[in-house]
């Protein structure tokens, strides 16, 4: 019995010594590598949409969710430990964390619950980009997106985590798994994100400090009301495009859960209308009341501004209403080419005709203009002179055929047509193309735009003479 107990103790302590000899970073390597493989694509796409480096997002996900094994990640799909906060209206999950009551007793904290982990990744981006938190996290988005060390230290500085070793832990994970490789263009195929990805992934989001709901599938107003625990009547009041409880809402469309704002609270003042966009679309995009947006731009609620014009989002009324879709643009350059009744281009018109046998014209193109010289009948013989053929020269033959000077047999010659020399117009230079521009849309970053046109961020900044990564909606960026 003594030998048996001794053997058990030896095995116990020996096993502990053996385990302690294994480097701690190797213990969870398999779980961490599996986690990276699962979430690297959503991390990259969120980086292109929001500007949060993929390496930072993956490292935070590993650290905060224990590689997806924490109870919060498994039960609430919350991989970043984001708490409910006062504005959260989605599902909740409670667990003890670091909140205490007035008696100093540890109590359960409220955490946000998401429908799937990808929604958590999107919410993490929006948490950092929230205008209400710009005083804390705004400076991060002025850092280079590839500078993961500065981002790691900045998160700690902004108070995202209280652990003083937080930057060190993030940097260690990034360098151990070479996560910064996902911060460079070409890590995955680019995605064209006009409507932010989170609208097709998660349920409740915010725009202009107003909560809204988005469904991945068609859904009725009544079903939305049931999911968000609001009356259908309120949803109809908050959304001008909804009129009845059984109205079907297409996938991706926003349904606001609160009253929209009178004006936009972001930094953008104007929105450049995109192809097919209506005034209602713009109001929904920026969380604005449709009637207020219409009045600010001196429009009716049913008016649709023309593609390319600017719609004012905040501030006083504009002086002149923007041009409407389908109306002519007064500033457009129209090249009018003169044509005859048969639709053929008129090359020139006579400016001076006399009976001296000469007609002068003003050339208008590069081709020589042939002007026939009429003749009169010979008074001696009464025989008319030979006139040039009336049939026009075939199109595409260039210059008219060469003619010889005929003779009437009476000593009188017929004057040949007069050929005016061509007017030389210097050709355009095909090697000097016109510059091309990209209009910045909501949610776009320099990184995403550079990927779209096959440029580097540095090159895009260089040709636009930018000194930082800040861009605004409607800004014109030269891409070529």
């Amino acid at each position: 019995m003594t030998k048996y107990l001794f053997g058990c103790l030896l095995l116990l302590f020996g096993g502990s010594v053996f385990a302690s000899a294994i480097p701690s970073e190797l213990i969870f390597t398999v779980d961490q590598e599996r986690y990276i493989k699962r979430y690297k694509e959503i991390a990259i796409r969120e980086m292109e949409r929001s500007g949060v480096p993929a390496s930072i997002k993956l490292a935070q996900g590993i650290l905060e969710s224990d590689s997806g094994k924490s109870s919060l990640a498994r039960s609430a799909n919350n991989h970043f430990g984001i708490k409910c906060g006062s504005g959260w209206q989605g599902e909740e999950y409670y667990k003890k964390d670091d909140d205490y009551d007035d008696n100093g007793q540890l109590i359960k904290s409220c955490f946000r619950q998401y429908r799937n982990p990808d929604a958590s990744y999107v919410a993490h981006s929006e948490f950092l980009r929230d205008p209400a938190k710009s005083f804390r996290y705004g400076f991060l988005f002025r850092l280079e997106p590839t500078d993961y060390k500065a981002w790691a230290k900045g998160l700690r500085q902004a108070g995202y985590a209280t652990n003083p070793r937080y930057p060190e832990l993030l940097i260690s994970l990034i360098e151990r798994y070479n996560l910064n490789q996902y911060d460079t263009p070409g890590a995955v195929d680019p995605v064209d994100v006009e409507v932010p990805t989170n609208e097709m992934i998660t349920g409740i989001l915010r725009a202009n400090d107003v909560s809204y709901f988005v469904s991945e599938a068609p859904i009725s107003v009544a079903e939305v009301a049931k999911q968000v625990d609001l009356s259908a009547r309120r949803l109809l009041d908050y959304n001008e495009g909804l009129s009845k409880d059984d109205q079907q809402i297409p996938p991706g469309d926003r349904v606001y859960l609160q009253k929209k704002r009178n004006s936009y609270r972001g930094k953008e003042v104007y929105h450049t209308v995109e192809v097919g966009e209506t005034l209602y679309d713009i109001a929904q995009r920026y969380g604005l009341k449709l009637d207020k947006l219409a009045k600010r731009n001196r429009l009716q609620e049913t008016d649709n501004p023309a593609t390319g014009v600017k719609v004012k989002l905040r501030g006083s009324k504009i002086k002149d209403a923007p041009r409407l879709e389908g109306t002519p643009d007064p500033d457009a350059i129209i090249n009018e080419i003169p044509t005859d009744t048969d639709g053929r281009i008129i090359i020139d018109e006579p400016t001076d005709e006399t009976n001296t046998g000469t007609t002068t014209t003003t050339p208008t193109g590069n081709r020589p203009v042939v002007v026939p010289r009429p003749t009169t009948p010979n008074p001696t013989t009464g025989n008319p002179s030979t006139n040039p053929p009336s049939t026009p020269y075939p199109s595409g033959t260039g210059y008219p055929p060469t003619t010889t000077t005929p003779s009437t047999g009476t000593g009188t010659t017929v004057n040949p047509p007069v050929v005016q020399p061509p007017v030389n117009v210097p050709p355009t230079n095909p090697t000097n193309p016109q510059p091309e521009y990209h209009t910045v849309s909501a949610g776009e970053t320099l990184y995403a735009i550079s990927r779209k046109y096959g440029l580097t961020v540095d090159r895009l900044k260089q040709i636009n003479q930018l000194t930082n990564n800040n861009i605004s909606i409607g800004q014109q960026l030269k891409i070529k």
Side-chain angles (χ1 to χ4, degrees):
M1 184 67 179
T2 305
K3 289 182 178 179
Y4 176 77
L5 290 173
F6 178 76
C8 290
L9 290 171
L10 181 62
L11 181 61
L12 178 63
F13 287 101
S16 299
V17 172
F18 177 76
S20 64
I22 301 176
S24 59
E25 62 266 19
L26 297 181
I27 295 177
F28 302 109
T29 296
V30 175
D31 291 332
Q32 292 173 348
E33 288 179 344
R34 187 182 297 117
Y35 186 91
I36 294 166
K37 184 178 180 180
R38 163 64 179 84
Y39 295 108
K40 66 180 181 181
E41 289 200 6
I42 182 63
I44 293 170
R45 287 176 178 148
E46 272 304 287
M47 172 185 65
E48 294 182 344
R49 184 186 72 84
S50 68
V52 179
S55 61
I56 286 290
K57 191 178 285 286
L58 285 169
Q60 283 192 279
I62 292 172
L63 198 61
E64 299 283 351
S65 74
D66 189 18
S67 301
K69 297 184 298 179
S70 70
S71 61
L72 187 60
R74 288 185 286 105
S75 301
N77 290 318
N78 190 330
H79 284 232
F80 297 91
I82 299 178
K83 293 185 177 180
C84 295
S86 59
W88 177 248
Q89 298 186 28
E91 295 186 33
E92 301 169 347
Y93 177 81
Y94 288 86
K95 66 182 289 289
K96 290 184 178 180
D97 184 54
D98 56 2
D99 290 329
Y100 295 85
D101 62 15
D102 295 338
N103 298 322
Q105 297 295 318
L106 185 65
I107 59 174
K108 289 184 177 181
S109 301
C110 177
F111 290 88
R112 299 183 183 185
Q113 182 169 333
Y114 302 101
R115 283 189 291 174
N116 53 55
D118 285 6
S120 176
Y121 266 70
V122 175
H124 172 254
S125 303
E126 296 309 304
F127 178 82
L128 296 177
R129 297 203 318 167
D130 186 352
K133 299 182 180 68
S134 61
F135 69 96
R136 287 180 62 185
Y137 300 111
F139 74 95
L140 292 171
F141 295 91
R142 294 189 287 273
L143 300 173
E144 289 295 333
T146 54
D147 193 350
Y148 62 88
K149 292 183 178 179
W151 268 82
K153 295 173 182 176
L155 285 167
R156 170 71 179 90
Q157 176 185 338
Y160 189 96
T162 56
N163 187 345
R165 294 186 61 241
Y166 195 73
E168 178 186 338
L169 295 171
L170 293 180
I171 293 170
S172 175
L173 284 168
I174 291 171
E175 294 180 346
R176 183 188 310 160
Y177 295 108
N178 192 26
L179 299 182
N180 55 308
Q181 67 178 303
Y182 304 124
D183 294 339
T184 56
V188 295
D189 293 334
V191 289
D192 186 9
V193 185
E194 178 178 343
V195 178
T197 305
N198 59 347
E199 294 192 353
M200 299 303 291
I201 296 176
T202 189
I204 299 178
L205 299 167
R206 288 177 70 80
N208 203 21
D209 293 335
V210 185
S211 297
Y212 64 90
F213 173 86
V214 176
S215 173
E216 296 174 327
I219 190 172
S220 69
V221 173
E223 290 171 324
V224 174
K226 185 177 179 181
Q227 288 195 31
V228 300
D229 195 23
L230 283 175
S231 69
R233 181 183 57 79
R234 285 193 178 184
L235 297 182
L236 299 179
D237 289 341
Y238 299 155
N239 298 269
E240 299 92 344
L242 303 180
S243 58
K244 52 185 179 179
D245 293 8
D246 60 352
Q247 181 174 338
Q248 288 292 309
I249 302 165
D253 277 15
R254 297 183 180 187
V255 179
Y256 279 90
L257 311 179
Q258 300 170 284
K259 289 183 179 180
K260 293 186 288 184
R261 305 291 180 186
N262 293 336
S263 62
Y264 187 53
R265 297 185 174 185
K267 63 181 180 180
E268 294 83 8
V269 179
Y270 292 93
H271 169 78
T272 301
V273 180
E274 300 173 3
V275 177
E277 203 170 36
T278 66
L279 193 64
Y280 177 70
D281 294 334
I282 299 170
Q284 291 293 94
R285 182 170 182 170
Y286 290 95
L288 297 171
K289 294 177 181 177
L290 179 59
D291 61 336
K292 300 297 183 183
L293 181 64
K295 289 180 180 178
R296 180 173 290 109
N297 290 274
R298 300 184 184 277
L299 296 171
Q300 301 296 320
E301 294 181 23
T302 55
D303 287 341
N304 291 324
T307 301
V309 303
K310 292 185 180 297
V311 171
K312 196 170 187 181
L313 306 174
R314 58 186 175 91
S316 58
K317 285 185 179 181
I318 60 174
K319 183 177 180 181
D320 298 309
R323 182 171 58 88
L324 299 182
E325 195 67 58
T327 58
D329 184 357
D331 298 325
I333 299 175
I334 302 176
N335 294 320
E336 295 185 354
I337 301 175
T339 57
D340 60 18
T341 56
D342 295 325
R344 292 176 297 190
I345 297 175
I346 300 174
I347 297 178
D348 51 33
E349 293 185 6
T351 56
D352 181 35
E353 290 189 5
T354 65
N355 292 327
T356 61
T358 303
T359 302
T360 60
T361 62
T362 303
T364 59
N366 289 334
R367 297 179 56 182
V369 180
V370 180
V371 184
R373 180 177 296 161
T375 59
T376 56
N378 191 312
T380 306
T381 62
N383 296 328
S385 62
T386 303
N387 290 321
S390 60
T391 304
Y393 300 121
S395 61
T397 59
Y399 298 95
T402 305
T403 59
T404 59
T405 304
S407 175
T408 61
T410 61
T412 303
T413 60
V414 178
N415 294 322
V418 178
V419 180
Q420 300 289 346
V423 179
N424 294 324
V425 178
T428 57
N429 186 2
T431 62
N432 187 23
Q434 294 296 316
E436 296 181 14
Y437 292 88
H438 172 84
T439 302
V440 179
S441 301
E444 282 190 315
T445 63
L446 279 178
Y447 184 92
I449 298 170
S450 66
R451 293 275 285 108
K452 185 174 183 179
Y453 296 99
L455 301 170
T456 64
V457 173
D458 288 339
R459 176 57 180 159
L460 189 59
K461 290 168 63 177
Q462 179 185 6
I463 61 180
N464 288 278
Q465 298 181 347
L466 300 177
T467 58
N468 54 46
N469 293 333
N470 295 335
I471 53 177
S472 58
I473 294 176
Q475 182 176 350
Q476 297 283 322
L477 293 179
K478 185 186 292 185
I479 56 154
K480 188 179 293 185

